[in-house]
Amino acid sequence: MKQMKFMDITLRDAQQCLWATRMTTSEMTPIAETMDNAGFSVIDLTGGAAIDSAMMYLAEDPFERIRVLSGLITKTPLNFNTRGQSIFRWMQYADDVTEFTLEVMRRNGIRSVMVFDALNDMRNLEYSVKVAKRLDMHIIGAVTYTVSPVHTDAHFVQRTKDLVALGVHALEIKDPSGLLTPERVAHLIPALRKVTPGLELQLHSHCTLGHGLDTYLETLKLGEQGVDLMHTASRPLAYGYSLPSHDAILDALPAHGYGTPVDRAAIDEMQSYFSMLTRRSGRPEGEVLPVQSVDEGHQVPGGMMSNLVQQLTDQGQAHRLPEVLDEIVRVREDLGYPILVSPMAQYVGTQGVLNVLSGKRYQMVPQEIKQYVLGYYGKVVGTIDPKVRELIAGDEKEIDVPPGQTIEPAMARYRRELGPCASDEELALKIFYSAKTVEDNRVARLNVGKWTHATNAAALLARELLGKKNIEVCEVRKKDFYFSANHNDSPAATVA
């Protein structure tokens, strides 16, 4: 019987899409051990948006999150998402910065890395893969899916071959905008399977346009020609702009002749926990969205949409969102159909906003768009409109080498200019964030003060009940945990 494996994306991508990446480390730790015992192949933990949120909104140290969770999740590899030459930010960095960052991640507890490039230019991933191999990390190479006249099955097959040649351990079809349909996977996935002999093939597709679950279910029909692992989320953080739920796929496996190493009891416990968390925090649960056409549209990924709305709202222009989304379609066509995934999604989105709010297209152009046109982010798959190209870059020539070759080594300079630092982790934060952001984060963490993480659901419940003044008697029994208290006694808790 073929076994379907799972990567859990609840703690990273799911909460990024539905909760703007505001789940705290303390909200993750009570369910961590349950997740470790659930039978997942990988647990997706962190990446650019998660680290940004920790630094700028949650008053957390993003490396502490990795250390804490890796101390609780010991059997299942924790995954870090990296954008190749962009690492986890948006600009391009030197190879030695890539090496330094992966070493810091590995030392703090990351054992898996998913590498992708916004343009599917796999030259930008070569050095990351080389370093990850040296660090004995599990390497998932992603081919990012999109819909355009130039992104044919032949394109995706060739990009897959490029990743196989790099020596990745697994291959992921990455669909951040939810554009894959049941009809497309029926012939695309078998085509990719032919060029990935012996490699694990993974499916990652969002539900933004309503196709996510049906696409996964159609993939199950492919059997040996299908995928080996699916990326899914706990039900409260599934659907909407997120991905399909664990339980929906688990329910469908027997009818298609699949077994699975995933424990359904653990999945149910996760669902109960995250349902409680949504109620307590006032955050929304994911809802199934209506099916929409993928042939036309803005293709803005779920993780970016809320930021785009906020950007317009801050300028009193929220009512112009439909105009901006229409303009993003035009900008993408003008620029040769870049894939709307970070960082290109943000760049194209920003250009769309500028075109609409300024009243004149390409009157204002971000430096990053100019660099894209000149090849500093990689090869452009389509053809850039000549008139638009002239507006953006004039007669400047494109580079004809991999972008990484144009960037001088930087670590010696960073150590000299940003030091002295108490640790490599502090240096990493100073490399990727402004001095003000790093200092503001440090001060905010001091103000928050030290706290103890509840490391299982029973401990969390006990701590919550202790804070209720109207509770007179409390008793919690769960596996090896026992807690009891009443209004006359001091609370007592034991963990076997």
Side-chain angles (χ1 to χ4, degrees):
M1 177 181 290
K2 183 173 181 178
Q3 296 290 299
M4 180 59 68
K5 296 178 285 187
F6 289 77
M7 177 191 288
D8 176 82
I9 54 86
T10 310
L11 301 184
R12 205 273 308 173
D13 204 1
Q15 65 131 341
Q16 178 177 330
C17 292
L18 298 183
W19 292 359
T21 327
R22 296 300 193 269
M23 190 189 302
T24 66
T25 302
S26 287
E27 290 172 329
M28 299 176 185
T29 54
I31 199 64
E33 292 181 357
T34 297
M35 295 178 69
D36 193 25
N37 292 319
F40 298 122
S41 294
V42 180
I43 293 174
D44 194 19
L45 179 62
T46 193
I51 297 172
D52 284 352
S53 185
M55 288 295 296
M56 293 182 277
Y57 305 112
L58 300 180
E60 289 191 6
D61 176 350
F63 295 109
E64 182 194 30
R65 173 174 296 180
I66 299 171
R67 291 191 297 271
V68 169
L69 269 296
S70 64
L72 298 170
I73 299 173
T74 58
K75 294 181 290 188
T76 313
L78 296 177
N79 184 70
F80 163 59
N81 291 267
T82 178
R83 302 167 187 153
Q85 212 69 51
S86 296
I87 311 179
F88 63 81
R89 297 291 287 166
W90 291 356
M91 65 178 283
Q92 304 283 67
Y93 291 90
D95 285 343
D96 61 345
V97 179
T98 297
E99 183 170 24
F100 168 76
T101 305
L102 289 177
E103 287 174 346
V104 172
M105 289 289 177
R106 183 68 179 89
R107 189 163 58 244
N108 279 275
I110 292 295
R111 290 190 283 148
S112 172
V113 60
M114 190 279 284
V115 295
F116 74 98
D117 179 71
L119 300 181
N120 276 343
D121 186 343
M122 303 313 176
R123 298 175 304 169
N124 291 331
L125 306 182
E126 185 174 354
Y127 197 76
S128 296
V129 171
K130 177 182 177 181
V131 173
K133 284 181 179 179
R134 177 176 64 79
L135 296 174
D136 194 28
M137 301 173 85
H138 179 64
I139 306 167
I140 306 165
V143 174
T144 305
Y145 180 80
T146 191
V147 173
S148 85
V150 296
H151 288 92
T152 61
D153 283 6
H155 166 85
F156 297 119
V157 167
Q158 184 56 55
R159 299 292 83 80
T160 299
K161 289 180 178 178
D162 293 343
L163 284 172
V164 172
L166 290 182
V168 299
H169 301 130
L171 197 292
E172 171 190 333
I173 308 166
K174 179 180 175 66
D175 175 27
S177 297
L179 301 170
L180 270 172
T181 62
E183 295 76 18
R184 189 70 187 272
V185 296
H187 55 88
L188 176 60
I189 289 180
L192 299 184
R193 172 59 78 193
K194 288 181 181 179
V195 296
T196 55
L199 280 185
E200 180 180 270
L201 189 59
Q202 304 182 2
L203 176 60
H204 176 107
S205 185
H206 288 242
C207 299
T208 310
L209 299 180
H211 298 275
L213 179 57
D214 289 340
T215 294
Y216 276 50
L217 296 179
E218 184 67 26
T219 302
L220 291 178
K221 298 178 183 178
L222 297 173
E224 295 299 328
Q225 289 187 302
V227 301
D228 307 296
L229 182 149
M230 291 180 166
H231 295 201
T232 51
S234 184
R235 176 60 185 87
L237 283 98
Y239 306 111
Y241 294 148
S242 183
L243 285 80
S245 66
H246 303 318
D247 58 305
I249 307 304
L250 289 171
D251 287 346
L253 291 182
H256 294 89
Y258 287 89
T260 182
V262 172
D263 176 29
R264 188 56 182 264
I267 297 301
D268 292 343
E269 185 172 340
M270 287 174 60
Q271 180 170 331
S272 296
Y273 175 77
F274 286 112
S275 292
M276 177 277 294
L277 189 58
T278 59
R279 293 192 300 271
R280 192 180 72 171
S281 64
R283 301 178 184 127
E285 288 197 7
E287 297 181 356
V288 176
L289 299 178
V291 174
Q292 302 175 54
S293 171
V294 302
D295 296 326
E296 299 178 1
H298 52 77
Q299 298 189 15
V300 172
M304 175 187 164
M305 183 65 77
S306 59
N307 292 328
L308 187 61
V309 172
Q310 189 62 54
Q311 184 180 1
L312 291 171
T313 300
D314 290 344
Q315 300 180 63
Q317 300 291 322
H319 62 286
R320 304 191 72 178
L321 179 63
E323 290 179 70
V324 169
L325 295 178
D326 287 342
E327 180 60 18
I328 287 173
V329 176
R330 297 180 64 193
V331 170
R332 183 170 182 254
E333 182 177 357
D334 291 343
L335 298 181
Y337 299 101
I339 304 171
L340 292 190
V341 64
S342 296
M344 290 312 305
Q346 287 76 10
Y347 298 156
V348 173
T350 298
Q351 187 66 67
V353 170
L354 292 173
N355 286 359
V356 168
L357 297 189
S358 70
K360 186 175 181 180
R361 304 185 78 229
Y362 302 106
Q363 181 178 39
M364 301 172 62
V365 178
Q367 178 65 19
E368 291 82 2
I369 290 290
K370 180 178 179 180
Q371 290 178 323
Y372 160 80
V373 166
L374 296 176
Y376 286 95
Y377 282 90
K379 290 181 179 179
V380 178
V381 177
T383 301
I384 299 174
D385 184 292
K387 293 180 180 179
V388 172
R389 194 236 183 262
E390 185 176 357
L391 286 172
I392 293 173
D395 59 0
E396 290 189 50
K397 300 296 183 182
E398 297 90 350
I399 63 171
D400 57 2
V401 297
Q405 292 184 17
T406 69
I407 308 174
E408 294 293 327
M411 283 308 303
R413 174 171 59 83
Y414 282 140
R415 290 187 186 279
R416 182 175 64 253
E417 295 178 356
L418 301 177
C421 296
S423 64
D424 281 347
E425 288 75 13
E426 180 184 335
L427 177 58
L429 296 180
K430 289 183 176 181
I431 289 172
F432 294 111
Y433 295 94
S434 69
K436 183 179 187 305
T437 297
V438 173
E439 178 61 16
D440 287 349
N441 173 265
R442 186 188 70 83
V443 172
R445 284 189 281 119
L446 289 174
N447 289 337
V448 168
K450 298 288 185 180
W451 71 92
T452 300
H453 298 288
T455 57
N456 59 51
L460 176 71
L461 177 60
R463 191 167 70 179
E464 290 293 307
L465 290 173
L466 277 175
K468 305 293 184 182
K469 294 182 179 179
N470 59 337
I471 297 292
E472 294 188 5
V473 179
C474 168
E475 184 175 85
V476 179
R477 296 178 183 270
K478 180 174 171 53
K479 295 181 181 177
D480 56 357
F481 180 88
Y482 174 74
F483 169 87
S484 67
N486 63 58
H487 68 284
N488 291 321
D489 299 326
S490 298
T494 59
V495 180

